[in-house]
Amino acid sequence: MADDSAAPSGDTWTTIESDPGVFTELIASMGVSGCQVDELWSLDVESLEALAPVYGLIFLFKWRKEESAPPPVQMDTDDANPSSSSDVFFANQVINNACATQAILSILLNRSDTLDLGQELGTLREFTKEFPPDLKGLAIGNSESIRHAHNSFARPEPFISDGTRSAREDDDLFHFISYVPVNGTLYELDGLKEGPIPLARNVTEKTWLAEVCPHIQKRIQASAAGEIRFNLMAVVQNRLDALANQVAEARAEYRGLCERLQVALDESSPLLIDDVGATAAAPSSSASTFEGDDDAARTALEQCTTRLGDLLEMRRAEVEKRDAWREENIRRRHNYVPFLFNFLKILAEKKQLKSLIDKARQTR
């Protein structure tokens, strides 16, 4: 649970913004490669499947006091204590403001079969795999590298508080939970609960997204009337890596069809030039042995040209999105207070500050 009233100090966890650019860079800074976080704007299976492969979902919602009591954890017939099952990495949240990073870790550490966790998280998972959930939570909270990566996204504090205060009943507190399939079972992982909650059995990589949508809808509907502050994000395959592979395959097919039809290749064509300006090397492909007559080959070439152009445009958009994320994260970390202080000081020295304040008051 994120408590915005907590003041950061040397050994605490600060609140960070719920943003896909923040979470993607956070994942990379923890040493994990091959994935990113994308924001979802609709809760339908088609939108989710368009991002496949989806490794897990992160759901942000307003926490209510009545949810503090955990629901019964369903027991497997062959496992009397699912919260300590070696198949599911589940950690209790024992650190304030860590729920965002913990929700991400709940997905990453349960998808070690498909993701490269890197040395830090790989060692953490192996070291804590026999720990109970509370000790797993403490291990995460005591990880200096994870805490440093998390706190690197905290906004600069212009003033230093002398202490912290406890959250009041009227404070808005938000909480992150995760949804992830593990060994054919879909789980809800909430660090404030006593253990992982199985939601559906016998799911596959292709079916679990359809199973999870009704559960998220149910959570939204159970919220207070008029509450619209939700956020749903997906941990997915690195889009640039995926698009790079698709572009390479499409280029190989394009070259093969041009060879089949004896069409001269223009190596300076945007279809064959990477963004860095170098001609892309095509991997081996069976496209040059296209089976069919010339009319069919020409149709296939037209379709391939269109598809290749679309893929290159998608890659360009993804690169622009990453650049925007990088710029936004730099701005998040920057401390603007010295600039504002000096700007106001200069206005005061030039006898302009008071008139501007008076004018602002008149326009209110």
Side-chain angles (χ1 to χ4, degrees), residues 11 186 225 248 277 339:
D11 58 354
L186 170 63
F339 162 75

Side-chain angles (χ1 to χ4, degrees), residues 315-350:
R315 188 176 68 173
R316 182 197 63 78
E318 187 67 27
V319 169
E320 289 183 355
K321 181 176 74 174
R322 292 297 188 97
D323 290 341
W325 283 353
R326 190 176 302 109
E327 184 174 343
E328 289 169 1
N329 286 340
I330 291 173
R331 289 175 176 172
R332 286 184 176 96
R333 293 182 172 109
H334 185 72
N335 186 2
Y336 290 92
V337 173
F339 162 75
L340 294 173
F341 178 81
N342 283 284
F343 181 63
L344 294 174
K345 182 180 178 181
I346 292 172
L347 288 175
E349 291 173 350
K350 294 182 177 293

Side-chain angles (χ1 to χ4, degrees), residues 289-335:
T289 59
F290 177 83
E291 295 182 1
D293 57 23
D294 288 351
D295 288 340
R298 277 189 286 270
T299 300
L301 180 59
E302 292 177 0
Q303 295 172 344
C304 181
T305 302
T306 300
R307 184 170 71 257
L308 181 54
D310 292 342
L311 288 171
L312 291 172
E313 177 60 25
M314 292 169 62
R315 188 176 68 173
R316 182 197 63 78
E318 187 67 27
V319 169
E320 289 183 355
K321 181 176 74 174
R322 292 297 188 97
D323 290 341
W325 283 353
R326 190 176 302 109
E327 184 174 343
E328 289 169 1
N329 286 340
I330 291 173
R331 289 175 176 172
R332 286 184 176 96
R333 293 182 172 109
H334 185 72
N335 186 2

